[in-house]
Amino acid sequence: MTNKRYLFILLIILFLSMSCESKKATSKEANDNVCVDIETTMGHIKVKLYNETPAHRDNFIKLVKEGYYNGTLFHRVINKFMIQGGDGDSRNAKPGQRLGMGDPGYTIPAEFVYPRYFHKKGALAAARQGDNVNPKKASSGSQFYIVTGDVIPAGQIGQVERQLQMQQEQAIFNQLVEAHRDEILAMRRARDTQGLQALQDQLIAEMHERIAREGIAKLSEEQKQAYTTVGGAPHLDGAYTVFGEVIEGMDVVEKIEKVATDSADRPKEDIKIISMKIMQ
């Protein structure tokens, strides 16, 4: 057998050992990405979990092994945006029952790996409560969504960037306001409008100083390429933890996003997660 033939076989073995589908759960492969098969009533969706978001990865694996997701629904579906599941209360939910608040009773600290991981089509991300009650953007202990989104015309990318910059300003300003909450409340009680105006000007100046230090929000070339070709949801970037992506079954996700829904975005006919399994 020639040296070239040996090299060819070696490369094949190396490729197979790196594949999610053929991966064995051994300590030597601890750096490989874990993949999960989501069996739904509309087909199979396979996702890869990112190692760079270890808390979300490990929690998802834990829930999968416990069977937490088995029998739950994709309870919130919005065409050209995303499909959402993971609400424990959706298991055996009655028709028309409002869903979206069920979880295991804990949250997960945000793990933003941005801009490396962003809301391109097929991204797997963690749902969460809004900023008004969740300023640290902690993720739900179980609820997740898969992005479908829409393709953005190249001529509108500048507008998307401006929107992200406005979101950046608002997020930082809100954080500064929260840090001065007691002071603001005291001024309001005292009807100190001059003091409130002066503090507002101070916080705006601090906001701009922080943006100057951290850098203004911009889309990377990879983001621009993805959003103008396959699509996604850029307005969610940097605000929700992206912890994986679909590697197979995006056609199933697209079928789910197009189903008829009620006024609460719940599918009129239940779409159930039959089971989730770690791929071996």
Side-chain angles (χ1 to χ4, degrees), residues 23-156:
K23 182 173 66 63
K24 302 298 182 181
T26 65
S27 59
K28 290 183 179 179
E29 296 173 327
N31 292 326
D32 291 349
N33 292 99
V34 173
C35 299
V36 177
D37 176 61
I38 305 173
E39 182 183 1
T40 80
T41 49
M42 294 188 73
H44 288 259
I45 305 166
K46 296 178 182 178
V47 297
K48 174 177 69 175
L49 308 180
Y50 297 144
N51 289 329
E52 294 83 355
T53 51
H56 286 73
R57 176 201 62 198
D58 293 349
N59 180 69
F60 199 76
I61 292 171
K62 168 183 170 291
L63 294 179
V64 169
K65 289 182 175 179
E66 291 175 352
Y68 180 90
Y69 292 114
N70 299 352
T72 59
L73 305 177
F74 279 103
H75 65 275
R76 185 169 178 246
V77 171
I78 302 176
N79 190 29
K80 294 187 178 181
F81 181 32
M82 59 90 218
I83 64 173
Q84 183 172 332
D87 179 350
D89 294 341
S90 69
R91 197 181 291 105
N92 301 317
K94 296 178 181 179
Q97 179 180 336
R98 291 300 176 99
L99 300 169
M101 298 302 292
D103 58 44
Y106 59 82
T107 58
I108 307 167
E111 292 181 300
F112 300 141
V113 186
Y114 181 77
R116 180 175 179 182
Y117 297 136
F118 54 94
H119 285 79
K120 64 183 179 182
K121 184 174 184 176
L124 171 68
R128 65 174 178 83
Q129 290 188 305
D131 290 355
N132 57 326
V133 294
N134 181 26
K136 293 186 178 180
K137 298 177 172 57
S139 300
S140 163
S142 62
Q143 291 196 39
F144 65 91
Y145 59 93
I146 297 173
V147 176
T148 55
D150 202 1
V151 174
I152 299 170
Q156 294 181 15

Side-chain angles (χ1 to χ4, degrees), residues 241-262:
T241 297
V242 176
F243 66 98
E245 64 182 86
V246 174
I247 58 171
E248 192 175 322
M250 198 62 203
D251 58 326
V252 176
V253 176
E254 291 170 349
K255 284 193 297 183
I256 294 173
E257 76 163 331
K258 291 178 173 64
V259 301
T261 57
D262 63 19

